[in-house]
Amino acid sequence: MKRINKIAGLALSVVLLAMLPGSAWPDTVEVPLPQLITTDTGSEWLVNNNGGTDTGRAFPPPDTACDNSLGLTIENAFRANDGNISAYDKGWQVFINNQLFTALGQTVELTDNLTSQVITAKPEPLAGLDGLRVTVEYLFSEPLQAARIRLLFENTTDDPIELTVDVPVNLGSDAATTVEMTSSGDELFKVDDWWVITSDGDPPQAPVSTIVLFGSVNPPKTPTAVTQTVFECMDTGEGIGVSFAKTTIPANSIRSLMFFAGLGDIMGDANTVAGAINNVAMFADPATIDESLVGDLSNAEWDETLNWRLIREGGVGVGGDGGGGGSGCMLQTSRPVDPLFPLLLAGLVLLVLRRRIQRQLD
């Protein structure tokens, strides 16, 4: 009887462990581009592979315009309950040493993490960058009108690799584009502004845009240059662009850059500048960023992030030049639990238990 009780206790322990944070069982499938992502809020995000420019560059000069050639991009974004006017006339492309990231084979992986949907893309080969593996992730929150853009660089060589990374965002609000507020408290977008909020007028017609470019707590890497003129698309080139020159990826290491994009007031379905300014405050402290945007990140992944730094007692992660941000275990957020996972584990354990009991009775 003691043996049976011991096995029964093991079965219960396995079920409880399966229900702990981190036991999510995401569903990942390979899908073709373009892909329209619709979230629980009703916001829509169109991901496509047609974000190329006629000069192969992100920013002028010379005059640079989108030409629908290959290049991974968020082509449009519609806020909840308003599918008429979008943010972005292509945005959030990634240029690495003046080479545009293009999704390999016109396909991407789509993962449903219950609180978010994630598109993961691997690139066509990048000239002169043998040994560098690049991955781009677009994560779309289910409960918020917000996205995370994450660029991962894996150096598989025994020597450091130095990169220039350009990220242009054509806002889609054309000549009416107005910088409403920046993190420094004014309406002038500068290189030390870690967030910027824009609209197309008062009252705004297109979605108010919130763009978060780096963490506020002294990250190892911040933009070396910024601009409000990116490639022209549709009518104009009004946008937000950042460059990260001399970005070092140490030998046999992974480093990343991470950004966030919000529509409207981010946490509701209104489209007000005041709401966006109020809710961008969540990004001031990595510990207060909504779980749907960062709950899938491990402490190691936070440590590898160049443009964010998470201070903790006793250390700040790998840190230093070319290092990551650092994080603490208390910032490891929980992950959603797929209800089938603990049930399947419980069934397996109970099957073993039944067989052992039957043997004892025989």
Side-chain angles (χ1 to χ4, degrees):
M1 182 61 69
K2 288 183 179 179
R3 183 181 181 87
I4 294 175
N5 288 338
K6 184 176 181 180
I7 297 172
L10 175 62
L12 179 60
S13 298
V14 171
V15 174
L16 292 175
L17 285 172
M19 297 179 69
L20 288 175
S23 299
W25 198 354
D27 181 22
T28 300
V29 294
E30 187 172 285
V31 296
L33 292 172
Q35 279 292 314
L36 180 65
I37 304 297
T38 302
T39 70
D40 288 347
T41 64
S43 61
E44 295 181 332
W45 306 78
L46 178 62
V47 179
N48 211 339
N49 203 33
N50 64 349
T53 63
D54 57 3
T55 65
R57 300 294 178 91
F59 314 118
D63 290 343
T64 297
C66 62
D67 63 356
N68 293 316
S69 57
L70 293 178
L72 188 70
T73 183
I74 299 178
E75 185 173 8
N76 293 117
F78 298 90
R79 69 180 185 86
N81 306 317
D82 186 1
N84 295 317
I85 304 177
S86 71
Y88 312 144
D89 287 334
K90 307 186 193 303
W92 297 107
Q93 297 95 319
V94 181
F95 289 76
I96 305 164
N97 291 0
N98 290 322
Q99 297 182 66
L100 179 56
F101 182 102
T102 300
L104 180 65
Q106 297 281 349
T107 62
V108 293
E109 290 183 346
L110 175 60
T111 303
D112 186 350
N113 281 326
L114 301 184
T115 62
S116 61
Q117 297 182 59
V118 185
I119 280 183
T120 304
K122 295 184 171 23
E124 298 284 359
L126 297 169
L129 291 172
D130 295 338
L132 180 71
R133 298 173 182 169
V134 184
T135 303
V136 173
E137 290 180 355
Y138 295 145
L139 179 149
F140 306 102
S141 167
E142 294 285 11
L144 305 182
Q145 296 194 89
R148 183 188 79 200
I149 298 89
R150 188 163 169 254
L151 322 178
L152 295 99
F153 307 96
E154 181 181 5
N155 181 359
T156 64
T157 75
D158 293 329
D159 299 301
I161 297 177
E162 187 173 279
L163 306 172
T164 294
V165 181
D166 298 322
V167 181
V169 184
N170 188 305
L171 292 167
S173 44
D174 303 329
T177 300
T178 302
V179 173
E180 299 287 358
M181 186 64 70
T182 66
S183 61
S184 55
D186 57 31
E187 299 171 5
L188 300 174
F189 176 48
K190 304 176 291 297
V191 73
D192 58 347
D193 284 315
W194 60 272
W195 60 259
V196 57
I197 292 172
T198 70
S199 81
D200 66 349
D202 184 16
Q205 301 302 310
V208 173
S209 294
T210 298
I211 296 177
V212 182
L213 298 168
F214 55 93
S216 64
V217 188
N218 192 31
K221 190 70 178 176
T222 59
T224 52
V226 298
T227 182
Q228 288 182 240
T229 305
V230 301
F231 60 88
E232 292 186 4
C233 203
M234 300 299 288
D235 293 320
T236 64
E238 274 80 6
I240 296 297
V242 290
S243 293
F244 292 81
K246 297 184 178 180
T247 299
T248 301
I249 315 301
N252 299 300
S253 299
I254 297 175
R255 295 292 183 266
S256 67
L257 295 169
M258 182 166 64
F259 315 96
F260 298 94
L263 302 178
D265 66 355
I266 305 174
M267 300 180 72
D269 59 5
N271 190 39
T272 66
V273 171
I277 292 173
N278 181 66
N279 292 326
V280 74
M282 83 160 104
F283 297 101
D285 185 341
T288 63
I289 299 175
D290 192 84
E291 182 178 317
S292 65
L293 291 170
V294 296
D296 62 325
L297 297 179
S298 68
N299 289 330
E301 288 170 317
W302 274 110
D303 284 350
E304 294 162 354
T305 307
L306 293 167
N307 59 332
W308 291 79
R309 182 185 294 277
L310 306 183
I311 304 300
R312 66 173 184 265
E313 288 186 28
V316 292
V318 296
D321 293 338
S327 65
C329 293
M330 66 284 192
L331 295 175
Q332 180 69 54
T333 53
S334 62
R335 301 184 185 182
V337 177
D338 191 309
L340 291 179
F341 187 61
L343 291 176
L344 288 172
L345 280 178
L348 178 61
V349 173
L350 291 174
L351 178 61
V352 173
L353 174 62
R354 180 180 178 183
R355 288 182 177 177
R356 291 192 176 183
I357 292 174
Q358 187 63 47
R359 288 175 184 171
Q360 291 184 9
L361 293 177
D362 292 342

